[in-house]
Amino acid sequence: MGASCAGDGSSAEVVKSVSLLRSLRLKIDALLHPSRKDRELDEELQFHLSEEEEERIESGSTLTDARYEARRSLGNRPLVKEETRKVNRFLPIDLLFRNMRFALRTFRKHSSAYVFAICVLALGIGMSTAVFSLVQAVLLRPLPFPKQDSIRVIWKENRKIGAPLVELAYPELWDLQSVKALESVAVMPTTLYGYGKVIQVGSREPVQVESAPVSHDFFRTLGVSPMLGRDFTADDEHEGAAAVAILSYGVWQRHFDADKAILGKQIRMNGIGCTIIGIMNPEIDFPRDAGLWVPLGVNQMKERRGATYLQAIARVRPGYSDSQVNTQISSLFARQAQDHPQFYSSVQQAVVTSLPHYWTGSARPQLLISLGASLLLLATACVTASNLFLSRMLARASEIATRLSLGASSGHIVAQFAAEGLTAGLMAGAGGLAIGWMLIKMLILAAPANIPRLADARIDRDVLLFAAILSLLTALACSIAPALIATRSNLDTRLREGASRLAGSRRGRRMQAAFTFVQTAITVVLLTASLLIVITVHSMLNTDIGFANRNVVTLNLALRGNYDPEARDRFYTNLLARLRESPSVNDAAAVLLRPLEGSIGWDVPYEAEFDRSKKPEELPVSTFEVVTPGYFRAIGTPLLEGRDFTDQDNETAERTVIVGRRIADRFRRMGHNPIGTRLRFGRSTTDSWAKIVGIVEDTRQRGVRTTGDDIYVPYRQTGIPVNYVVIRGSGSVQDLTSLVRREVAKIDANQAIARVETIAQLVDRDTARERFNMLLLLTFGAGALLLAAAGVYSVMTESVSVRKREIAIRIALGADPHGLIGNLVNTTLRCVLLGELVGLVFVAASGRYLSDLLYGVTPGDVRVLGSVLIFLLAVATIAASIPAWIATRQNPQSVLQGD
Amino acid sequence: MSKHDPPLELLQGTLDLLILRTLLFGASHGHAIAKQIQQTSGDILRVETGSLYPALHRLEARGWIDADWRLSDKGKRAKYYTLTNTGRKQLVAEQSKWELLAQAMARVLRSSNP
């Protein structure tokens, strides 16, 4: 050791700081070289011993006596060392390390119990971490747009007729540009449906790519620019401007081999030359799945206020609050209704959504509910671990008593339990991260494809931080119960009394009762949620969606190029006739938009001839489908009354429609026979009337959960194209697809088919989120149930082991074993019941968050709640009765003698 | 080592003072310090090893004494402690404090009034 000196510092401050430094150096030295310091201390004490010995020999003792006496005078050498060592240590850190090493030894010694606790915690942390990584990827990680929170998506709604999405027309872009709070505005279609482009590169087979027509300020409003080439300019959007396109990174990679030379080159798009002016950077996937972007306002639709198919993207000027923005936009829309009453109704209202919320949509509540459920599971895992650590502490009472009598302070003991908790928490955290890592991979595979960015979920810095916080919380949970016992009561005397007294103590019992109570409450919440979602999925899958033929193949064949309505009709008539001729085909038809494509599709207001009193904005709205004859037979929608369309329902014949049962029933209630009643679409009085010739079963056109009116018109009586082929036959999906592809190529080799899916697959896709939620919640619910049962079991086991003498005496005195079991489980089951009640309160309180996710069942469903409560009580009764039963079966004599 | 534990606080403060005082006459090792205190006090004060070494290390950590390894009179390696300047000042302060305390104690204990 260096002989550093404090020096002659004249001021006390210097002396103080120098001595402080020196003390710090000694401590660091001690921390870094514990063994050297130890050796030195040993040597010092050894020297003391030899001096003592020599002194005694000098005063006439024998060597043996001297040695003995010297050692006696030195006292308890390890204790002296321990006391001396303490002086030179950074106590907290050092103590922590030593306590953690000790904790590891303890864990090894009683491995099964601790391994179980740590595994349960690791699973809890792993699941929570995995779900959090999804939340992080989908909801928390910023979008690739700078200052994303100032970007808004704008459309209108009409609550009066229940239309949540009223679209904008191009001229409204100019209206919105006059709003002061908006820095820049652009428009894009509300859905990508129908804008697919067939692109042809060189001599390759043409491919269909989703294209997004956008106004030229689109990317500037989002705050991004192409990574190669240039952005759109106002000149690109003029009528008659040369066709240009910006490619997405993915399309550039897949179909253009990432060749930079493509910039400025012309490709064939829908048979027309188009110049590639830019490549977007890879993160930009907006609107979702856009393969390329083209200028929007290049046709006559630009001027028409009636052509509503758009929504606006706007960047808010800095300094404007949400309410200011909303007020300004609302007053703009109110002004529009005054200025152009023929286009806008006064009941329309502005819907202004921030881009992040628009982006995640309903994935937000679903993911947050899953995260909440996983955290609840972790909480019950913590309760399990806490219970276990408490039991271990009680079981180790004699060890602890020994340590106390050897001079350890109760602070030491508490520190020891804290260190055990921390060690367990860290191990569980590490294990949890590994489990989480695997779970993330599995969840991404199981997750529905339509949750944006979910596939990007990974363990990043924030997820690590989250896992670390969870680990610390679990550490706290593990050590808090033993620590509470240790600090609240006089540990010393309590522990000397022995484990059984402590376990039987009121505090120990109360704590375990609290554990049972908390676990039960959490389990009720999780079981209820998972049962509700199971019923939801079950109802969705068993809903009569009106499409009986689940194996029917649907595929997109939107004709590109120079097709006028007559040519289109001829193409389809020709194609369907060829397909029907094939022996492997039972039915072939075509439709404007296949079912279950989500919110996209046409909504049209309609009025019946017998009831023309309604104002235009009060007209009911129906889905609008254009179909070929044979469509209902192909897709399996039963024709209830009247007839299907025929080839005679053409341009020259009387206009006809087929309606769904809902409309027919309403007409009947109003005293009119639906068949033969005439309908008219839209608000303009120029549209001609169409006669109802048939009634079909109601369908879930937009989605399994969406009901609404259905109206079908024959394809030859409208200018609106059919876009999807619906084909049913004996061959496989691939056979039927290639058959269609072959027949299409025979008529027009430049067309491409896309999005081949059966109705079953469409149903799968539509129910994917609910099924994913079900998977998660069922896992969490089952986990919680197991832990609760294990908890009740272990509390019961402990309680009967404490009372085994009492039980033995009662048995010996001839008590009825069944009554005794009932007596024993009584207290525990009362806790369970209380927990169930509190769980019910939580379910009732959180019901409204759940109700959006549910279908075919409500959060307060009495049968669901009842079965959860009864089931949980039954499981708890079994778990509690087993230890009690075992206890009453023991031979009372051996128990009483054994003690 | 005696069976009963004497009150630690009093001993600690007192022992520190005794060690500092002993070291005023020059460097010494732990055993010699204990002997010195015992002899000077006329065998009344016995310094327990369990208190001595923690005290020495504590004083060293505070910077009141310094330690280095030297050879003892009998040629063995021993850890010698010396008083530092800070320690010297501390000794003066502690000593006057102690004397004040002792006088006050004496006054109270010898007083005849109830």
Side-chain angles (χ1 to χ4, degrees), chain B residues 39-111:
Chain B
Q39 280 164 14
T40 320
S41 72
D43 263 355
I44 294 174
L45 294 176
R46 294 179 67 94
V47 182
E48 303 289 346
T49 329
S51 311
L52 174 68
Y53 285 97
L56 283 171
H57 283 242
R58 186 169 50 243
L59 291 174
E60 186 192 355
R62 283 185 193 152
W64 296 351
I65 60 175
D66 223 346
D68 55 330
W69 290 89
R70 299 181 192 171
L71 289 183
S72 74
D73 323 334
K74 292 157 199 152
K76 279 188 188 159
R77 232 169 79 88
K79 196 174 179 186
Y80 274 79
Y81 295 91
T82 44
L83 204 58
T84 65
N85 281 325
T86 332
R88 218 176 288 272
K89 281 179 197 153
Q90 196 63 32
L91 174 61
V92 174
E94 292 281 319
Q95 191 163 353
S96 54
K97 224 197 287 179
W98 173 255
E99 275 158 8
L100 213 62
L101 180 70
Q103 280 167 21
M105 289 283 291
R107 235 176 260 153
V108 172
L109 292 177
R110 284 183 201 141
S111 69

Side-chain angles (χ1 to χ4, degrees), chain A residues 12 54 129 316 453 661 668 724 750 762 820 883:
Chain A
E54 271 174 43
T129 305
V316 173
R453 301 200 298 171
R661 187 167 64 174
R668 278 201 196 95
Y724 280 87
N750 287 322
L762 290 170
L820 196 53

Side-chain angles (χ1 to χ4, degrees), chain A residues 59-73:
Chain A
S59 61
S61 297
T62 64
L63 186 65
T64 336
D65 283 354
R67 201 163 270 175
Y68 174 71
E69 279 165 26
R71 222 170 280 155
R72 257 197 72 187
S73 89

Side-chain angles (χ1 to χ4, degrees), chain A residues 344-533:
Chain A
Y344 310 113
S345 87
S346 53
V347 288
Q348 289 179 352
Q349 280 173 333
V351 179
V352 183
T353 316
S354 82
L355 184 62
H357 272 87
Y358 171 82
W359 186 281
T360 49
S362 68
R364 182 178 296 266
Q366 287 170 343
L367 279 176
L368 290 180
I369 282 174
S370 295
L371 182 64
S374 71
L375 288 176
L376 280 182
L377 180 65
L378 178 61
T380 158
C382 281
V383 170
T384 301
S386 192
N387 194 359
L388 203 130
F389 272 75
L390 181 62
S391 311
R392 289 309 318 170
M393 181 216 181
L394 303 180
R396 280 158 57 193
S398 60
E399 171 207 319
I400 293 162
T402 313
R403 289 182 60 203
L404 280 173
S405 64
L406 283 177
S409 67
S410 67
H412 268 118
I413 303 294
V414 172
Q416 172 59 36
F417 280 111
E420 275 177 24
L422 190 62
T423 313
L426 290 181
M427 287 169 75
L433 267 184
I435 293 171
W437 182 78
M438 285 185 292
L439 276 179
I440 291 172
K441 310 260 164 212
M442 282 157 61
L443 286 179
I444 290 175
L445 286 179
N450 63 354
I451 298 183
R453 301 200 298 171
L454 188 129
D456 298 342
R458 62 193 149 82
I459 293 181
D460 62 9
R461 201 196 50 195
D462 292 349
V463 175
L464 268 180
L465 189 68
F466 181 78
I469 291 172
L470 290 189
S471 305
L472 288 181
L473 288 179
T474 54
L476 198 66
C478 289
S479 39
I480 208 149
L484 270 179
I485 292 257
T487 53
R488 289 258 205 96
S489 55
N490 186 342
L491 193 75
D492 191 13
T493 50
R494 268 281 164 79
L495 289 174
R496 278 183 223 278
E497 284 171 6
S500 57
R501 293 293 294 277
L502 191 56
S505 77
R506 264 176 66 202
R507 190 181 308 284
R509 272 209 312 273
R510 273 218 299 263
M511 214 174 263
Q512 292 190 319
F515 289 155
T516 308
F517 165 77
V518 170
Q519 281 195 314
T520 314
I522 291 176
T523 308
V524 166
V525 174
L526 287 179
L527 275 186
T528 309
S530 44
L531 187 55
L532 287 173
I533 194 84

Side-chain angles (χ1 to χ4, degrees), chain A residues 1-9 15 19 22-23 26 40-41 43-45 47-48 50-52 54-55 72-75 80 83-84 87-88, chain B residues 1 29-31 34-35 48-50 52-54 56-58 60-63 65-69 72 74 76-79 81 84-86 89:
Chain A
M1 168 153 310
S4 100
C5 190
D8 285 293
V15 172
S19 68
R22 163 205 173 86
S23 142
L26 282 172
E40 284 188 1
L41 183 56
E43 197 179 341
E44 194 175 8
L45 292 179
F47 175 76
H48 185 104
S50 67
E51 288 288 291
E52 197 74 34
E54 271 174 43
E55 199 182 284
R72 257 197 72 187
S73 89
L74 188 65
V80 173
E83 286 296 311
T84 312
V87 172
N88 279 335
Chain B
M1 193 174 175
H29 54 73
H31 186 257
K35 276 277 132 346
E48 303 289 346
T49 329
L52 174 68
Y53 285 97
L56 283 171
H57 283 242
R58 186 169 50 243
E60 186 192 355
R62 283 185 193 152
I65 60 175
D66 223 346
D68 55 330
W69 290 89
S72 74
K74 292 157 199 152
K76 279 188 188 159
R77 232 169 79 88
K79 196 174 179 186
Y81 295 91
T84 65
N85 281 325
T86 332
K89 281 179 197 153

Side-chain angles (χ1 to χ4, degrees), chain A residues 706-849:
Chain A
T706 322
T707 55
D709 294 352
D710 299 322
I711 296 179
Y712 304 86
V713 302
Y715 78 123
R716 292 181 70 179
Q717 291 186 348
T718 171
I720 300 162
V722 288
N723 284 325
Y724 280 87
V725 172
V726 176
I727 183 167
R728 197 164 68 94
S730 49
S732 68
V733 176
Q734 284 82 2
D735 293 344
L736 289 172
T737 312
S738 44
L739 173 71
V740 176
R741 193 172 278 129
R742 267 198 315 277
E743 295 300 334
V744 167
K746 280 184 204 160
I747 307 173
D748 181 349
N750 287 322
Q751 303 299 334
I753 63 177
R755 301 177 170 206
V756 181
E757 264 165 313
T758 63
I759 289 289
Q761 285 170 318
L762 290 170
V763 170
D764 267 2
R765 205 175 61 189
D766 196 53
T767 54
R769 286 191 183 186
E770 283 79 6
R771 285 183 291 122
F772 182 60
N773 275 338
M774 179 176 78
L775 175 79
L776 288 177
L777 287 179
L778 264 186
T779 312
F780 300 149
L785 182 67
L786 275 179
L787 290 179
V792 168
Y793 181 87
S794 77
V795 166
M796 241 0 249
T797 309
E798 215 141 89
S799 131
V800 296
S801 88
V802 170
R803 294 168 64 184
K804 67 182 172 203
R805 280 177 66 88
E806 177 203 329
I807 295 167
I809 291 170
R810 281 169 186 249
I811 296 278
L813 290 178
D816 168 33
H818 289 101
L820 196 53
I821 292 176
N823 198 347
L824 287 171
V825 299
N826 202 353
T827 329
T828 307
L829 290 188
R830 239 181 284 158
C831 289
V832 170
L833 269 177
L834 200 61
E836 289 196 334
L837 288 180
V838 172
L840 265 186
V841 172
F842 275 105
V843 168
S846 57
R848 106 195 125 83
Y849 299 102

